[in-house]
């Protein structure tokens, strides 16, 4: 089997495309709003720097050395007698679980693009709330339709493969996304709300930081960097030969963080300009933002379209990286054609995705819930809080304890220099696994913070 290689810039854009997603533009701002701003942001930044970046280097390394799908890469690199480590490669399946609800949210975004074009923006918060709640609570057919459109777009790109699909689309959508977001930032900077947004995001209010916020910040740093499910690993199997893992991981981490901060600043500047509340949960982008933008007249409609377009771009480039690992696995291990693998996987998450969207509706909500929790939330919680940290834990243990030290030093030490290498090695061996273990045990209720 021959693995296609990315170009250097293609790899950076693809990995950044994976990292920069709904997590940055939708989830990060509303979490920051809910958990009170500055202190949450600070914890998030520290986790990214000390744990996220190290695990990203480790995950890229497994891909670059394994040069295959997730399962085969772990199997190849595991020492003799420990080949059962290949089962860690099943972390690739996390992506399919994430896709069940991720694709539904992309569907909402496409629906918003559509309605903004056809009927403009809502005039009052009441109206915006009603529109969002009706979509999520009652409009089953519309949701299924746009979820299906999202499945088809993502499936088609993955079907075209690493070079003609994934690399090409990322080379177009990522720069476009950045131009839109930085353009919106420039405008936001002219508003009075911008100062307030800066203060809200960067002045830590420690009293707001409870243990839940702390755990969510760590969990989110994994989600936002696409770690712990083999997306970065699978892409790194196609890393160009002479690319530096350290440098690439650094650029990707930096871009991801920058875009989350810019998205936050843009949204909060608009909100504060008109005195809106930051802590509104997942509806922040779907309810408050469109209402606020309505105040800007025609310009507001253009801003809203650009914003949701950027959100759609970010979502799609991440979604393809959620599907690719399992597709590559089916091709490598079971000799599927790419087309068949994409069809099978897409069908599975399309179907479960319908279950997820039904779990928020008034008519089916009860049926699609377990123990009073909607299926949507169960899927999100399981991946975000348990499976991704578990994946990150396995990656850091594998690289920190099972790969030969000489091999690590030969690659990462050469790239980073000895001193930085020591810090990285320490993080991968001790800080990352302990923090992740602690977090999982806490979430499962075994230990309390
Ligand atoms: N990093 C993406 C985001 O922030 O939206 C989500 C994601 C993509 C998570 C790919 C995990 C992954 F493997």
């Amino acid at each position: 089997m021959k693995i296609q290689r990315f170009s250097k810039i293609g790899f950076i854009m693809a990995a950044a495309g994976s990292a920069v997603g709904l997590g940055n533009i939708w989830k990060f701002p509303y979490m920051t709003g809910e958990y009170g701003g500055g202190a949450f942001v600070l914890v998030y930044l520290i986790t990214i720097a000390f744990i996220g970046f190290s695990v990203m280097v480790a995950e890229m390394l497994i891909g670059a050395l394994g040069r295959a799908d997730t399962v085969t890469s772990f199997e190849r690199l595991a020492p003799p007698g420990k080949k059962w480590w290949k089962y860690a490669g099943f972390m690739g399946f996390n992506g399919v679980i994430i896709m069940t609800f991720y694709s539904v949210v992309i569907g909402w975004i496409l629906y918003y693009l559509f309605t903004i074009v056809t009927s403009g923006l809502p005039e009052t918060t009441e109206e915006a709330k009603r529109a969002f709640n009706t979509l999520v609570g009652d409009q089953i057919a519309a949701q299924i339709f746009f979820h299906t459109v999202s499945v088809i777009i993502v499936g088609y790109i993955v079907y075209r493969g690493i070079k003609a699909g994934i690399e090409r689309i990322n080379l177009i959508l990522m720069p476009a996304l950045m131009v839109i977001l930085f353009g919106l930032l420039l405008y936001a900077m002219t508003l009075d709300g911008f100062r307030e947004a800066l203060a809200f995001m960067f002045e830590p209010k420690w009293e707001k930081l409870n243990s839940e916020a702390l755990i969510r910040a760590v969990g989110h740093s994994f989600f936002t960097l696409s770690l712990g499910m083999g997306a970065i690993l699978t892409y790194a199997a196609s890393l160009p030969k002479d690319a530096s893992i350290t440098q690439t991981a650094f650029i990707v981490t930096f871009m991801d963080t920058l875009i989350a901060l810019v998205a936050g600043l843009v949204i909060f500047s608009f909100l504060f300009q008109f005195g809106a509340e930051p802590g509104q949960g997942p509806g922040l982008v779907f309810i408050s933002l469109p209402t606020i933008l309505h105040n800007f007249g025609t310009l507001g409609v253009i801003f809203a379209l650009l914003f949701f377009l950027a959100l759609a771009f970010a979502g799609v480039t991440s979604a393809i990286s959620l599907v690719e690992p399992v597709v590559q696995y089916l091709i490598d291990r079971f000799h599927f054609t790419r087309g068949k693998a994409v069809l099978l996987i897409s069908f599975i998450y399309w179907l479960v995705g319908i279950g997820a969207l039904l779990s928020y509706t008034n008519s089916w909500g009860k049926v699609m819930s377990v123990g009073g929790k909607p299926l949507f939330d169960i899927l999100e919680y399981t991946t975000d809080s348990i499976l991704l940290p578990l994946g990150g834990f396995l990656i850091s243990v594998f690289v920190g304890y099972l790969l030969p030290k000489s091999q690590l030093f030969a690659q990462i030490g050469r790239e980073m220099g000895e001193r930085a290498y020591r810090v990285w090695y320490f993080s991968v061996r001790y800080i990352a696994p302990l923090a992740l273990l602690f977090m999982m045990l806490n979430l499962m209720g075994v230990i309390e913070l």
Side-chain angles (χ1 to χ4, degrees):
M1 146 214 58
K2 214 172 126 28
I3 284 216
Q4 287 182 329
R5 295 263 162 102
F6 284 111
S7 69
K8 258 191 203 172
I9 180 74
F11 179 75
I12 291 177
M13 286 300 164
S18 168
V20 175
L22 305 179
N24 302 60
I25 308 179
W26 168 59
K27 225 166 155 187
F28 173 74
Y30 87 68
M31 285 175 90
T32 304
E34 276 190 322
Y35 294 115
F40 175 83
V41 174
L42 197 65
V43 176
Y44 166 81
L45 291 178
I46 293 175
T47 335
I48 296 260
F50 288 99
I51 306 180
F53 172 70
S54 314
V55 178
M56 179 168 295
V57 170
E59 186 170 336
M60 269 189 197
L61 184 67
I62 300 176
L65 296 174
R67 292 281 170 202
D69 66 280
T70 47
V71 176
T72 312
S73 289
F74 272 102
E75 189 179 34
R76 275 187 190 158
L77 299 176
K82 299 226 165 90
K83 292 297 177 194
W84 45 265
W85 263 95
K86 73 175 181 205
Y87 295 111
F90 284 115
M91 69 175 69
F93 283 86
N94 293 347
V96 184
I97 310 179
I98 298 179
M99 265 318 267
T100 59
F101 59 87
Y102 210 82
S103 171
V104 173
V105 181
I106 296 179
W108 295 346
I109 296 163
L110 298 177
Y111 173 86
Y112 264 66
L113 278 170
F114 174 75
T115 47
I116 294 169
V117 171
T118 52
S119 40
L121 293 170
E123 290 179 20
T124 59
T125 313
E126 297 319 307
E127 199 185 310
K129 247 190 209 147
R130 206 173 332 115
F132 183 65
N133 292 340
T134 313
L135 170 67
V136 174
D138 295 319
Q139 286 175 269
I140 297 178
Q143 285 197 82
I144 295 183
F145 176 77
F146 284 102
H147 164 54
T148 309
V149 173
S150 139
V151 172
I152 293 172
I153 296 174
V154 172
Y156 179 71
I157 300 169
V158 176
Y159 164 70
R160 296 297 309 271
I162 288 284
K163 293 290 285 184
I166 299 177
E167 171 162 332
R168 188 184 294 164
I169 201 78
N170 275 294
L171 283 174
I172 302 169
L173 295 191
M174 283 308 285
L177 163 95
M178 285 188 273
V179 169
I180 295 179
L181 272 187
F182 283 95
L184 287 175
L185 178 70
L186 283 183
Y187 184 82
M189 285 166 84
T190 65
L191 302 173
D192 293 335
F194 182 69
R195 271 165 169 249
E196 231 178 298
L198 267 184
F200 179 70
M201 284 183 63
F202 296 108
E203 279 172 18
K205 292 192 203 65
W206 293 108
E207 65 282 2
K208 292 257 169 118
L209 194 73
N210 51 24
S211 62
E212 187 193 329
L214 205 75
I215 301 270
R216 295 289 306 238
V218 180
H220 186 64
S221 71
F222 262 72
F223 185 80
T224 191
L225 290 177
S226 300
L227 298 172
M229 56 136 287
I232 294 296
L233 191 164
T234 304
Y235 277 4
S238 298
L239 191 74
K241 262 220 171 87
D242 50 344
S244 154
I245 292 176
T246 308
Q247 198 185 30
T248 319
F250 183 81
I251 299 174
V252 173
T253 309
F254 181 79
M255 276 171 69
D256 187 74
T257 312
L258 186 71
I259 289 182
L261 295 177
V262 169
L265 282 174
V266 168
I267 293 171
F268 290 123
S269 302
F270 282 123
L271 290 190
F272 291 146
Q273 181 75 7
F274 289 91
E277 280 297 309
Q280 305 184 9
L284 186 71
V285 157
F286 291 105
I287 298 171
S288 324
L289 193 70
T291 323
I292 294 290
L293 288 175
H294 178 258
N295 296 313
F296 291 89
T298 315
L299 197 58
V301 177
I302 296 173
F303 284 166
L305 277 179
L306 286 174
F307 180 83
F308 281 102
L309 206 58
L311 200 52
F313 289 173
V316 168
T317 52
S318 295
I320 53 186
S321 79
L322 286 159
V323 177
E324 175 67 12
V326 182
V327 166
Q328 190 64 49
Y329 167 73
L330 291 177
I331 296 173
D332 281 4
R333 306 285 290 209
F334 297 98
H335 309 292
F336 270 59
T337 60
R338 199 165 251 282
K340 273 210 184 111
V342 170
L343 271 182
L344 177 67
I345 298 306
S346 304
F347 178 72
I348 293 173
Y349 80 78
W350 175 77
L351 200 63
V352 184
I354 291 180
L357 72 84
L358 285 178
S359 74
Y360 274 172
T361 58
N362 296 318
S363 43
W364 286 81
K366 280 231 170 68
V367 188
M368 288 295 169
S369 297
V370 185
K373 277 213 160 178
L375 178 64
F376 191 112
D377 294 3
I378 297 174
L379 292 164
E380 186 181 5
Y381 176 82
T382 316
T383 41
D384 199 4
S385 305
I386 302 171
L387 295 177
L388 294 189
L390 176 66
F393 175 78
L394 293 173
I395 287 167
S396 40
V397 168
F398 187 74
V399 171
Y401 295 88
L402 283 110
L403 288 186
K405 243 175 135 175
S406 53
Q407 198 173 12
L408 297 186
F409 192 75
Q411 177 84 32
I412 307 299
R414 182 178 50 82
E415 288 176 6
M416 286 188 181
E418 197 167 340
R419 210 181 287 157
Y421 169 81
R422 281 218 205 105
V423 177
W424 171 77
Y425 188 61
F426 186 79
S427 170
V428 166
R429 258 174 94 88
Y430 305 108
I431 304 180
L434 282 177
L436 293 169
L437 192 65
F438 183 77
M439 180 180 149
M440 281 185 292
L441 292 179
N442 180 285
L443 284 166
M444 292 194 264
V446 184
I447 46 173
E448 290 258 335
L449 190 71

